[in-house]
Amino acid sequence: MNKITAAITAVGGYVPDYVLTNKELETIVDTTDEWIITRTGIHERRILKGEGKGTSELCVPIALEVCRKRGISPEEIDLLIVATVTPDMVFPATANIVTDKIGAKNAFGFDISAACSGFLYALDTGARFIESGKYKKVMVIGADKMSSIIDYTDRTTCIIFGDGGAGVLLEPNEDGFGLLDSILKSDGHGREYLHMKAGGSAKPATLETVTAREHYVYQEGKMVFKYAVANMADAAHDIMTRNHLTANDIAWLVPHQANKRIIDATAQRMELPEEKVMMNIQRYGNTTAGTIPLCLWDYEKQLKKGDNLVLAAFGGGFTWGASYIKWAYDPK
C-alpha cells in the first residue's frame, strides 16, 4: 500500500465588496498613494462592513464554494480548521460557528492562531488527520477580518491590512500528490515587535485599555521587516534543499502577501523569476491567515496537475515556515 498524503482537491475564496483604496486612506491618515505603493505594493484592500459581522461571515461563502466545486455536501466534511487571529469571539471557536452556519453536522472544528503563518500551520495539521487514515475530508480555511483590530489613526498599520480569506479541501491521495513536506517555526521573543497589547488574559479589557487604544495591532515595522526577509526566505530555501528541488523544478512560489519587498527577497533567495511568483497584494493587502489560500484561489486556473508549489509565510509571534505541495488536479 502506498503512503497516504493529503491532496488539495478544491479551493474557494471570498473577499468583501467594499474596496478601501489608497486615495481614500489619504483622507483618513497622513499618507499618500505613492508612498504606500512604493513601500508595500498595495493599491487597495477589502473591508467587511456591517454590524455584527465577524470572520465567520468570510468563512461561510468560502466553505460553500469549496463544497460546490468538489460536488459534496457540507455534511460530508469530517473536520474544519480555521486559521485566524480575528475570531468572532474568544469562544466558541470560529470553526464551530461556521460548521453550524453551513450545516456541516458531522464535522468537528477548531481554530489555529499563528498570525500570518496560520494557514501553513492549519494545512499541516489538517494533513496529519488525513494521513492517519481515519478522516477523508478535511477543510482548511485561512481568514481574517483585520479591520476589526486595526487603528485607522495609525498610518504604519492601517495601510497594510485588509479583510478576506480562502480555503481548501484535503483528501487522501496515494499517487504522490498533495502536501509532501513542511518546515514550521516559531520564536516567542518576537512578540514584542508585533502583537496586541490588551484583550488577553494577561491584560483584560478595561476602560483604560480601550482609551489607550491597546486593542489594535501594534507593530515595529523595521524589526518585523528584518526578521521576515531573513526567516521567510530561509524557510523557502530550506524546503527546496531538503527535497532536492531547484528553481527549474518549482512551478510557483505562493508567498504570504505582507510586503512586496519581502516577497521579492524570498523569490531571489530561491532564484525564481517574477513570473513564477503568485502576487495579489496589490488588490487585497495583507489579509493575515488569508493571503496564501487567496493566492491559490486567484491562480487556481493556472495550476496544473503535478506542479511543484512552495508556500512560505512569516507572521507575528514570531511564526514562520514553508510547505512543499505537489498539485493534484488540472484546471476545470
Side-chain angles (χ1 to χ4, degrees):
M1 182 177 174
N2 294 333
K3 178 186 175 184
I4 296 174
T5 55
I8 293 173
T9 57
V11 181
Y14 177 77
V15 290
D17 293 332
Y18 188 88
V19 178
L20 177 59
T21 64
N22 291 346
K23 288 294 184 184
E24 184 175 349
L25 279 174
E26 288 180 352
T27 69
I28 300 172
V29 291
D30 182 18
T31 190
T32 67
D33 176 59
E34 181 185 9
W35 192 93
I36 296 169
I37 293 172
T38 301
R39 284 160 180 79
T40 68
I42 301 168
H43 292 250
E44 59 188 37
R45 67 289 292 145
R46 301 298 184 96
I47 303 296
L48 180 62
K49 298 276 191 175
E51 193 72 28
K53 291 186 176 181
T55 296
S56 68
E57 292 288 324
L58 303 171
C59 294
V60 167
I62 294 167
L64 293 177
E65 183 183 7
V66 170
C67 289
R68 178 182 57 78
K69 282 185 173 178
R70 187 65 182 124
I72 66 169
S73 161
E75 293 185 1
E76 296 178 59
I77 300 168
D78 299 314
L79 164 63
L80 172 64
I81 305 173
V82 174
T84 188
V85 292
T86 55
D88 282 27
M89 51 189 75
V90 174
F91 70 91
T94 300
N96 289 1
I97 297 171
V98 176
T99 56
D100 177 58
K101 286 184 175 182
I102 66 172
K105 297 179 180 178
N106 299 308
F108 71 103
F110 56 86
D111 294 353
I112 285 183
S113 177
C116 300
S117 306
F119 184 76
L120 291 190
Y121 278 38
L123 188 70
D124 196 78
T125 303
R128 301 296 163 244
F129 282 92
I130 293 290
E131 291 167 4
S132 74
K134 186 177 179 181
Y135 302 94
K136 305 301 181 186
K137 289 179 172 59
V138 174
M139 189 177 290
V140 178
I141 294 175
D144 272 297
K145 184 186 175 184
M146 292 305 294
S147 62
S148 66
I149 57 170
I150 293 300
D151 181 355
Y152 285 91
T153 67
D154 178 5
R155 66 177 182 175
T156 65
T157 56
C158 74
I159 65 169
I160 299 169
F161 294 96
D163 303 339
V168 300
L169 185 68
L170 297 176
E171 295 186 81
N173 185 281
E174 295 184 15
D175 298 317
F177 297 99
L179 180 63
L180 302 183
D181 195 14
S182 290
I183 295 172
L184 302 173
K185 301 280 189 178
S186 65
D187 180 1
H189 147 267
R191 67 188 181 278
E192 63 181 289
Y193 306 117
L194 181 52
H195 63 273
M196 188 190 296
K197 294 181 182 297
S201 59
K203 195 173 187 181
T206 63
L207 177 60
E208 287 73 22
T209 65
V210 173
T211 303
R213 308 182 75 81
E214 293 184 338
H215 295 266
Y216 297 117
V217 171
Y218 169 81
Q219 175 173 276
E220 290 186 27
K222 288 183 179 179
M223 290 300 294
V224 173
F225 181 85
K226 173 185 171 183
Y227 279 96
V229 167
N231 288 315
M232 187 164 140
D234 282 351
H237 180 267
D238 290 349
I239 203 107
M240 288 176 65
T241 301
R242 198 157 87 175
N243 290 279
H244 311 291
L245 298 167
T246 67
N248 291 332
D249 300 319
I250 303 297
W252 294 98
L253 166 64
V254 191
H256 169 53
Q257 309 284 302
N259 181 300
K260 188 176 184 298
R261 292 183 292 167
I262 297 172
I263 295 170
D264 290 343
T266 302
Q268 288 166 13
R269 182 75 193 278
M270 298 169 68
E271 299 181 349
L272 286 180
E274 193 172 312
E275 57 267 23
K276 285 188 173 186
V277 180
M278 293 189 185
M279 188 98 67
N280 58 18
I281 189 174
Q282 67 277 11
R283 299 205 311 277
Y284 306 139
N286 182 350
T287 55
T288 304
T291 67
I292 287 178
L294 271 172
C295 280
L296 295 176
W297 181 57
D298 268 356
Y299 284 78
E300 183 187 14
K301 290 185 178 178
Q302 298 183 52
L303 297 173
K304 298 179 179 63
K305 187 175 182 178
D307 277 354
N308 290 318
L309 278 58
V310 171
L311 285 53
F314 182 89
F318 291 133
T319 62
W320 68 96
S323 296
Y324 166 38
I325 290 175
K326 189 173 287 289
W327 197 251
Y329 62 94
D330 287 316
K332 296 176 182 177

